[in-house]
Short mmCIF file of all heavy atoms in Angstrom, two decimals:
data_model
loop_
_atom_site.label_atom_id
_atom_site.label_comp_id
_atom_site.label_asym_id
_atom_site.label_seq_id
_atom_site.Cartn_x
_atom_site.Cartn_y
_atom_site.Cartn_z
N ILE B 1092 10.14 -22.08 -67.87
CA ILE B 1092 11.15 -21.31 -67.14
C ILE B 1092 11.62 -22.11 -65.95
O ILE B 1092 10.83 -22.71 -65.23
CB ILE B 1092 10.60 -19.96 -66.68
CG1 ILE B 1092 10.20 -19.12 -67.88
CG2 ILE B 1092 11.61 -19.22 -65.80
CD1 ILE B 1092 9.55 -17.82 -67.52
N GLY B 1093 12.92 -22.10 -65.69
CA GLY B 1093 13.50 -22.74 -64.53
C GLY B 1093 14.01 -21.71 -63.54
O GLY B 1093 14.05 -20.50 -63.83
N PRO B 1094 14.49 -22.17 -62.38
CA PRO B 1094 14.98 -21.23 -61.35
C PRO B 1094 16.25 -20.50 -61.77
O PRO B 1094 16.57 -19.49 -61.19
CB PRO B 1094 15.22 -22.14 -60.15
CG PRO B 1094 15.41 -23.50 -60.72
CD PRO B 1094 14.54 -23.58 -61.95
N GLU B 1095 16.96 -21.03 -62.82
CA GLU B 1095 18.19 -20.36 -63.24
C GLU B 1095 17.95 -19.35 -64.34
O GLU B 1095 18.89 -18.73 -64.82
CB GLU B 1095 19.20 -21.42 -63.74
CG GLU B 1095 19.53 -22.49 -62.72
CD GLU B 1095 20.20 -21.90 -61.49
OE1 GLU B 1095 20.89 -20.89 -61.65
OE2 GLU B 1095 20.00 -22.42 -60.39
N ASP B 1096 16.67 -19.15 -64.69
CA ASP B 1096 16.36 -18.22 -65.79
C ASP B 1096 16.73 -16.80 -65.38
O ASP B 1096 16.51 -16.37 -64.24
CB ASP B 1096 14.87 -18.31 -66.12
CG ASP B 1096 14.55 -17.51 -67.38
OD1 ASP B 1096 14.72 -18.05 -68.47
OD2 ASP B 1096 14.14 -16.34 -67.19
N GLU B 1097 17.25 -16.01 -66.31
CA GLU B 1097 17.71 -14.65 -66.02
C GLU B 1097 16.56 -13.73 -65.64
O GLU B 1097 16.72 -12.81 -64.83
CB GLU B 1097 18.46 -14.10 -67.24
CG GLU B 1097 19.05 -12.72 -67.06
CD GLU B 1097 20.09 -12.69 -65.93
OE1 GLU B 1097 20.73 -13.73 -65.66
OE2 GLU B 1097 20.25 -11.62 -65.32
N VAL B 1098 15.39 -13.96 -66.24
CA VAL B 1098 14.24 -13.11 -65.93
C VAL B 1098 13.86 -13.25 -64.45
O VAL B 1098 13.62 -12.26 -63.75
CB VAL B 1098 13.05 -13.47 -66.84
CG1 VAL B 1098 11.80 -12.68 -66.43
CG2 VAL B 1098 13.39 -13.21 -68.28
N PHE B 1099 13.82 -14.49 -63.96
CA PHE B 1099 13.47 -14.70 -62.56
C PHE B 1099 14.55 -14.13 -61.63
O PHE B 1099 14.26 -13.55 -60.60
CB PHE B 1099 13.29 -16.20 -62.31
CG PHE B 1099 12.78 -16.49 -60.93
CD1 PHE B 1099 11.43 -16.44 -60.64
CD2 PHE B 1099 13.66 -16.81 -59.91
CE1 PHE B 1099 10.98 -16.69 -59.38
CE2 PHE B 1099 13.20 -17.06 -58.65
CZ PHE B 1099 11.86 -17.01 -58.36
N ARG B 1100 15.83 -14.32 -61.98
CA ARG B 1100 16.92 -13.79 -61.17
C ARG B 1100 16.81 -12.28 -61.05
O ARG B 1100 16.99 -11.71 -59.97
CB ARG B 1100 18.25 -14.19 -61.79
CG ARG B 1100 19.47 -13.76 -60.96
CD ARG B 1100 20.75 -14.17 -61.66
NE ARG B 1100 20.86 -15.63 -61.75
CZ ARG B 1100 21.36 -16.39 -60.77
NH1 ARG B 1100 21.80 -15.83 -59.65
NH2 ARG B 1100 21.41 -17.70 -60.89
N GLN B 1101 16.49 -11.61 -62.18
CA GLN B 1101 16.36 -10.15 -62.13
C GLN B 1101 15.16 -9.73 -61.27
O GLN B 1101 15.19 -8.72 -60.56
CB GLN B 1101 16.21 -9.59 -63.56
CG GLN B 1101 16.23 -8.06 -63.61
CD GLN B 1101 17.52 -7.48 -63.06
OE1 GLN B 1101 18.62 -8.00 -63.35
NE2 GLN B 1101 17.41 -6.42 -62.29
N PHE B 1102 14.10 -10.54 -61.33
CA PHE B 1102 12.92 -10.25 -60.51
C PHE B 1102 13.28 -10.26 -59.02
O PHE B 1102 12.87 -9.38 -58.24
CB PHE B 1102 11.85 -11.29 -60.80
CG PHE B 1102 10.70 -11.29 -59.82
CD1 PHE B 1102 9.67 -10.37 -59.89
CD2 PHE B 1102 10.66 -12.22 -58.79
CE1 PHE B 1102 8.65 -10.36 -58.99
CE2 PHE B 1102 9.63 -12.23 -57.89
CZ PHE B 1102 8.63 -11.30 -57.98
N ILE B 1103 14.07 -11.24 -58.62
CA ILE B 1103 14.47 -11.33 -57.21
C ILE B 1103 15.31 -10.14 -56.81
O ILE B 1103 15.14 -9.53 -55.74
CB ILE B 1103 15.22 -12.65 -56.96
CG1 ILE B 1103 14.28 -13.84 -57.17
CG2 ILE B 1103 15.79 -12.67 -55.54
CD1 ILE B 1103 13.10 -13.86 -56.23
N LEU B 1104 16.26 -9.76 -57.66
CA LEU B 1104 17.13 -8.62 -57.34
C LEU B 1104 16.32 -7.34 -57.21
O LEU B 1104 16.58 -6.49 -56.35
CB LEU B 1104 18.22 -8.48 -58.41
CG LEU B 1104 19.22 -9.63 -58.48
CD1 LEU B 1104 20.19 -9.42 -59.65
CD2 LEU B 1104 19.99 -9.76 -57.18
N ASP B 1105 15.31 -7.16 -58.11
CA ASP B 1105 14.47 -5.95 -58.04
C ASP B 1105 13.68 -5.91 -56.73
O ASP B 1105 13.52 -4.86 -56.10
CB ASP B 1105 13.52 -5.91 -59.23
CG ASP B 1105 14.24 -5.68 -60.55
OD1 ASP B 1105 15.43 -5.23 -60.49
OD2 ASP B 1105 13.64 -5.94 -61.60
N ARG B 1106 13.18 -7.07 -56.32
CA ARG B 1106 12.41 -7.09 -55.08
C ARG B 1106 13.30 -6.78 -53.86
O ARG B 1106 12.88 -6.13 -52.91
CB ARG B 1106 11.72 -8.44 -54.88
CG ARG B 1106 10.73 -8.82 -55.97
CD ARG B 1106 9.42 -8.04 -55.92
NE ARG B 1106 9.52 -6.70 -56.43
CZ ARG B 1106 9.61 -6.39 -57.75
NH1 ARG B 1106 9.60 -7.34 -58.65
NH2 ARG B 1106 9.69 -5.14 -58.15
#
Side-chain angles (χ1 to χ4, degrees):
I1092 298 176
E1095 303 298 329
D1096 188 84
E1097 183 61 28
V1098 174
F1099 187 84
R1100 184 181 296 275
Q1101 186 60 43
F1102 167 80
I1103 295 298
L1104 295 176
D1105 291 343
R1106 299 286 77 75

